[in-house]
Protein backbone atom coordinates (compact mmCIF):
# COMPACT_ATOMS: atom_id res chain seq x y z
CA UNK A 1 0.00 0.00 0.00
CA UNK A 2 1.25 3.48 -0.82
CA UNK A 3 1.71 5.11 2.62
CA UNK A 4 1.34 8.54 1.06
CA UNK A 5 -2.24 7.72 0.02
CA UNK A 6 -3.14 5.84 3.21
CA UNK A 7 -6.13 7.16 5.17
CA UNK A 8 -6.21 6.23 8.84
CA UNK A 9 -9.22 4.10 9.82
CA UNK A 10 -11.92 6.07 11.63
CA UNK A 11 -12.41 4.35 14.99
CA UNK A 12 -15.15 6.81 15.94
CA UNK A 13 -17.46 6.07 13.02
CA UNK A 14 -20.42 8.39 12.55
CA UNK A 15 -22.64 6.01 10.61
CA UNK A 16 -24.47 4.30 13.48
CA UNK A 17 -25.16 7.51 15.48
CA UNK A 18 -26.59 9.15 12.37
CA UNK A 19 -28.76 6.13 11.49
CA UNK A 20 -29.99 5.78 15.09
CA UNK A 21 -30.86 9.49 15.24
CA UNK A 22 -32.74 9.24 11.93
CA UNK A 23 -34.70 6.20 13.13
CA UNK A 24 -35.64 7.87 16.41
CA UNK A 25 -36.67 11.00 14.52
CA UNK A 26 -38.88 8.90 12.21
CA UNK A 27 -40.55 7.32 15.26
CA UNK A 28 -41.14 10.73 16.86
CA UNK A 29 -42.80 12.03 13.70
CA UNK A 30 -44.96 8.90 13.59
CA UNK A 31 -46.03 9.43 17.21
CA UNK A 32 -46.96 13.05 16.50
CA UNK A 33 -49.05 11.94 13.51
CA UNK A 34 -50.89 9.41 15.70
CA UNK A 35 -51.66 12.04 18.33
CA UNK A 36 -53.38 14.12 15.65
CA UNK A 37 -55.80 11.29 14.85
CA UNK A 38 -59.07 11.58 16.77
CA UNK A 39 -62.24 9.61 15.94
CA UNK A 40 -64.49 12.61 16.58
CA UNK A 41 -62.78 14.44 13.71
CA UNK A 42 -63.99 11.88 11.17
CA UNK A 43 -67.39 13.52 10.67
CA UNK A 44 -65.81 16.97 10.59
CA UNK A 45 -63.65 15.86 7.65
CA UNK A 46 -66.75 14.52 5.90
CA UNK A 47 -68.57 17.76 6.63
CA UNK A 48 -65.82 19.92 5.12
CA UNK A 49 -65.97 17.90 1.92
CA UNK A 50 -69.74 18.11 1.39
CA UNK A 51 -70.61 19.76 -1.93
CA UNK A 52 -73.61 21.86 -2.84
CA UNK A 53 -74.40 23.79 -5.97
CA UNK A 54 -74.15 27.57 -5.70
CA UNK A 55 -75.03 29.58 -8.82
CA UNK A 56 -74.70 26.47 -10.96
CA UNK A 57 -71.25 25.63 -9.61
CA UNK A 58 -70.43 22.78 -7.16
CA UNK A 59 -68.74 24.18 -4.04
CA UNK A 60 -67.40 22.50 -0.92
CA UNK A 61 -68.69 23.67 2.45
CA UNK A 62 -65.15 24.59 3.37
CA UNK A 63 -65.03 27.04 0.46
CA UNK A 64 -68.21 28.83 1.51
CA UNK A 65 -67.37 29.47 5.13
CA UNK A 66 -64.90 29.08 7.94
CA UNK A 67 -65.28 25.69 9.65
CA UNK A 68 -64.18 25.59 13.29
CA UNK A 69 -64.76 23.51 16.39
CA UNK A 70 -63.34 25.71 19.17
CA UNK A 71 -64.91 24.14 22.25
CA UNK A 72 -66.23 20.69 21.40
CA UNK A 73 -65.22 18.51 18.40
CA UNK A 74 -68.81 17.27 18.26
CA UNK A 75 -70.06 20.82 17.62
CA UNK A 76 -69.10 22.88 14.58
CA UNK A 77 -69.30 26.60 14.05
CA UNK A 78 -69.65 27.47 10.39
CA UNK A 79 -69.28 31.14 9.56
CA UNK A 80 -70.69 31.77 6.08
CA UNK A 81 -68.76 34.39 4.13
CA UNK A 82 -71.74 35.51 2.04
CA UNK A 83 -74.88 36.27 4.10
CA UNK A 84 -77.09 35.64 1.07
CA UNK A 85 -76.02 31.98 1.07
CA UNK A 86 -76.84 31.26 4.72
CA UNK A 87 -80.37 29.91 4.20
CA UNK A 88 -79.31 27.70 1.30
CA UNK A 89 -76.33 26.31 3.19
CA UNK A 90 -78.39 25.76 6.34
CA UNK A 91 -81.02 23.79 4.45
CA UNK A 92 -78.33 21.76 2.67
CA UNK A 93 -76.57 20.89 5.94
CA UNK A 94 -79.84 19.72 7.52
CA UNK A 95 -80.71 17.60 4.47
CA UNK A 96 -77.35 15.84 4.80
CA UNK A 97 -78.11 14.64 8.31
CA UNK A 98 -76.36 17.30 10.38
CA UNK A 99 -78.63 18.96 12.98
CA UNK A 100 -78.06 22.70 12.53
CA UNK A 101 -79.49 26.08 13.48
CA UNK A 102 -78.88 29.74 12.73
CA UNK A 103 -79.78 32.71 14.89
CA UNK A 104 -81.49 35.53 12.94
CA UNK A 105 -78.97 38.12 11.80
CA UNK A 106 -75.98 35.90 12.56
CA UNK A 107 -73.51 34.61 9.97
CA UNK A 108 -72.86 31.55 12.13
CA UNK A 109 -74.50 28.18 11.57
CA UNK A 110 -74.17 25.92 14.61
CA UNK A 111 -73.96 22.24 13.72
CA UNK A 112 -74.05 19.16 15.94
CA UNK A 113 -71.83 16.39 14.65
CA UNK A 114 -73.05 12.80 15.12
CA UNK A 115 -70.68 10.17 16.45
CA UNK A 116 -68.58 8.50 13.74
CA UNK A 117 -69.96 5.30 12.28
CA UNK A 118 -68.18 1.94 12.42
CA UNK A 119 -67.23 2.36 8.77
CA UNK A 120 -65.63 5.74 9.47
CA UNK A 121 -63.72 4.30 12.44
CA UNK A 122 -62.47 1.43 10.28
CA UNK A 123 -61.30 3.92 7.67
CA UNK A 124 -59.30 5.67 10.40
CA UNK A 125 -57.89 2.26 11.38
CA UNK A 126 -56.82 1.64 7.77
CA UNK A 127 -55.12 5.04 7.75
CA UNK A 128 -53.18 4.10 10.89
CA UNK A 129 -52.08 0.87 9.21
CA UNK A 130 -50.82 2.86 6.21
CA UNK A 131 -48.90 5.22 8.48
CA UNK A 132 -47.39 2.30 10.38
CA UNK A 133 -46.32 0.57 7.16
CA UNK A 134 -44.83 3.85 5.96
CA UNK A 135 -42.76 4.05 9.15
CA UNK A 136 -41.57 0.46 8.71
CA UNK A 137 -40.48 1.19 5.13
CA UNK A 138 -38.72 4.39 6.21
CA UNK A 139 -36.80 2.58 8.94
CA UNK A 140 -35.81 -0.18 6.54
CA UNK A 141 -34.57 2.39 4.03
CA UNK A 142 -32.43 4.12 6.68
CA UNK A 143 -30.91 0.78 7.67
CA UNK A 144 -30.24 -0.31 4.07
CA UNK A 145 -28.75 3.00 2.94
CA UNK A 146 -26.48 3.21 5.97
CA UNK A 147 -25.38 -0.39 5.44
CA UNK A 148 -24.35 0.44 1.88
CA UNK A 149 -22.37 3.44 3.10
CA UNK A 150 -20.60 1.35 5.75
CA UNK A 151 -19.71 -1.29 3.17
CA UNK A 152 -18.28 1.34 0.89
CA UNK A 153 -16.31 2.86 3.78
CA UNK A 154 -14.73 -0.52 4.55
CA UNK A 155 -13.81 -1.06 0.89
CA UNK A 156 -12.19 2.37 0.76
CA UNK A 157 -10.45 1.70 4.10
CA UNK A 158 -12.10 4.64 5.85
CA UNK A 159 -13.07 2.33 8.71
CA UNK A 160 -11.88 -1.11 9.79
CA UNK A 161 -14.05 -4.17 9.29
CA UNK A 162 -14.42 -4.77 13.03
CA UNK A 163 -15.64 -1.19 13.53
CA UNK A 164 -18.09 -1.65 10.65
CA UNK A 165 -19.37 -4.85 12.29
CA UNK A 166 -20.00 -3.06 15.59
CA UNK A 167 -21.72 -0.16 13.81
CA UNK A 168 -23.96 -2.54 11.86
CA UNK A 169 -24.88 -4.40 15.05
CA UNK A 170 -25.89 -1.12 16.74
CA UNK A 171 -28.03 -0.18 13.75
CA UNK A 172 -29.69 -3.62 13.58
CA UNK A 173 -30.49 -3.53 17.30
CA UNK A 174 -31.98 -0.04 17.11
CA UNK A 175 -33.92 -0.92 13.96
CA UNK A 176 -35.63 -3.87 15.65
CA UNK A 177 -36.36 -1.84 18.78
CA UNK A 178 -37.79 1.21 16.99
CA UNK A 179 -39.79 -0.87 14.50
CA UNK A 180 -41.30 -2.86 17.37
CA UNK A 181 -42.21 0.34 19.25
CA UNK A 182 -43.81 1.77 16.11
CA UNK A 183 -45.90 -1.34 15.46
CA UNK A 184 -46.96 -1.48 19.11
CA UNK A 185 -48.09 2.16 19.05
CA UNK A 186 -49.91 1.59 15.75
CA UNK A 187 -51.89 -1.34 17.16
CA UNK A 188 -52.51 0.58 20.41
CA UNK A 189 -53.96 3.54 18.49
CA UNK A 190 -56.15 1.27 16.37
CA UNK A 191 -57.43 -0.46 19.52
CA UNK A 192 -58.19 2.91 21.14
CA UNK A 193 -60.01 4.12 18.02
CA UNK A 194 -61.94 0.95 17.15
CA UNK A 195 -62.60 -0.44 20.62
CA UNK A 196 -64.77 -3.54 20.30
CA UNK A 197 -64.67 -3.21 16.51
CA UNK A 198 -60.92 -3.96 16.47
CA UNK A 199 -59.90 -6.96 14.39
CA UNK A 200 -56.49 -8.44 13.67
CA UNK A 201 -55.81 -7.81 10.00
CA UNK A 202 -52.01 -7.42 9.82
CA UNK A 203 -49.51 -10.29 10.20
CA UNK A 204 -48.01 -8.88 13.42
CA UNK A 205 -51.32 -7.91 15.04
CA UNK A 206 -51.57 -11.06 17.16
CA UNK A 207 -48.11 -10.43 18.61
CA UNK A 208 -48.71 -6.82 19.56
CA UNK A 209 -52.38 -7.00 20.58
CA UNK A 210 -51.39 -9.11 23.59
CA UNK A 211 -48.92 -6.41 24.65
CA UNK A 212 -51.51 -3.70 23.99
CA UNK A 213 -54.19 -5.44 26.05
CA UNK A 214 -51.73 -5.91 28.92
CA UNK A 215 -50.71 -2.24 28.71
CA UNK A 216 -54.35 -1.08 28.76
CA UNK A 217 -55.16 -3.40 31.67
CA UNK A 218 -52.20 -2.12 33.71
CA UNK A 219 -53.13 1.47 32.87
CA UNK A 220 -56.73 0.88 33.97
CA UNK A 221 -55.63 -0.76 37.24
CA UNK A 222 -53.23 2.09 37.95
CA UNK A 223 -56.00 4.63 37.36
CA UNK A 224 -58.33 2.75 39.70
CA UNK A 225 -55.65 2.71 42.42
CA UNK A 226 -55.16 6.45 41.99
CA UNK A 227 -58.92 7.04 42.36
CA UNK A 228 -59.07 4.88 45.51
CA UNK A 229 -56.07 6.71 46.97
CA UNK A 230 -57.66 10.09 46.21
CA UNK A 231 -60.92 9.05 47.91
CA UNK A 232 -59.02 7.80 50.96
CA UNK A 233 -57.14 11.10 51.19
CA UNK A 234 -60.40 13.05 51.03
CA UNK A 235 -61.88 10.94 53.84
CA UNK A 236 -58.86 11.40 56.12
Amino acid sequence: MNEGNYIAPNLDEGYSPEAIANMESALEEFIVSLLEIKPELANIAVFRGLKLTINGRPRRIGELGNVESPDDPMRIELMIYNKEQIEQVLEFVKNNGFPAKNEPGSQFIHIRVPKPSRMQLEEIGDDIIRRTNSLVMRLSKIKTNTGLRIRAAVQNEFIEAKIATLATKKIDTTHLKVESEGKFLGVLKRKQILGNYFQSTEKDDEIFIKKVNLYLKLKKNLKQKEIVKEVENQNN
Side-chain angles (χ1 to χ4, degrees):
M1 179 184 296
N2 186 339
E3 293 184 359
N5 295 329
Y6 177 72
I7 300 176
N10 181 9
L11 299 179
D12 298 324
E13 53 82 24
Y15 300 100
S16 61
E18 180 184 358
I20 290 171
N22 289 338
M23 289 182 184
E24 291 176 345
S25 176
L27 179 61
E28 288 175 3
E29 291 177 16
F30 174 67
I31 292 172
V32 171
S33 74
L34 291 184
L35 292 174
E36 295 172 348
I37 299 175
K38 298 178 181 178
E40 59 266 27
L41 300 180
N43 271 318
I44 295 179
V46 172
F47 179 80
R48 288 180 187 272
L50 290 177
K51 290 184 178 181
L52 72 159
T53 302
I54 298 288
N55 298 326
R57 177 185 171 192
R59 302 282 299 277
R60 285 189 172 87
I61 290 288
E63 299 174 16
L64 301 174
N66 184 44
V67 182
E68 288 188 348
S69 182
D71 302 318
D72 182 352
M74 305 306 288
R75 296 183 182 278
I76 295 175
E77 287 185 356
L78 171 61
M79 188 193 76
I80 302 299
Y81 301 134
N82 187 342
K83 289 184 178 181
E84 296 180 358
Q85 298 172 348
I86 292 177
E87 287 300 322
Q88 185 177 354
V89 173
L90 178 62
E91 191 66 24
F92 174 81
V93 169
K94 289 180 178 179
N95 290 339
N96 276 270
F98 292 88
K101 63 180 181 179
N102 166 255
E103 299 295 334
S106 172
Q107 284 183 252
F108 285 92
I109 296 178
H110 298 276
I111 302 124
R112 185 164 56 82
V113 182
K115 292 183 179 180
S117 65
R118 176 174 180 173
M119 182 178 295
Q120 287 175 317
L121 294 178
E122 289 176 345
E123 287 176 354
I124 295 175
D126 291 341
D127 180 46
I128 295 171
I129 290 174
R130 286 192 291 270
R131 296 184 190 214
T132 305
N133 290 338
S134 177
L135 171 68
V136 171
M137 291 176 60
R138 184 176 173 183
L139 295 174
S140 179
K141 187 175 180 179
I142 292 171
K143 174 185 172 182
T144 300
N145 289 345
T146 308
L148 293 173
R149 291 171 58 202
I150 291 175
R151 199 172 298 123
V154 172
Q155 292 174 350
N156 291 313
E157 299 182 349
F158 294 156
I159 61 174
E160 294 179 351
K162 63 180 181 180
I163 301 298
T165 300
L166 291 173
T168 300
K169 186 176 181 179
K170 290 179 184 178
I171 294 169
D172 289 345
T173 300
T174 301
H175 176 257
L176 289 174
K177 177 177 177 291
V178 174
E179 182 181 85
S180 179
E181 288 180 5
K183 289 182 176 180
F184 169 82
L185 292 172
V187 174
L188 174 61
K189 188 67 176 183
R190 285 166 54 205
K191 177 71 174 178
Q192 291 174 329
I193 293 290
L194 290 164
N196 294 332
Y197 297 139
F198 178 88
Q199 292 182 342
S200 297
T201 56
E202 304 301 293
K203 64 178 182 180
D204 293 331
D205 278 356
E206 291 299 328
I207 297 173
F208 290 101
I209 192 59
K210 294 178 182 178
K211 297 179 181 179
V212 165
N213 287 337
L214 178 60
Y215 167 80
L216 293 174
K217 183 178 180 180
L218 292 173
K219 186 177 180 181
K220 182 179 179 180
N221 290 340
L222 180 60
K223 186 175 182 180
Q224 289 175 340
K225 289 180 180 178
E226 290 176 348
I227 293 173
V228 171
K229 187 176 181 180
E230 184 177 345
V231 172
E232 289 176 347
N233 291 335
Q234 291 175 354
N235 292 333
N236 290 335

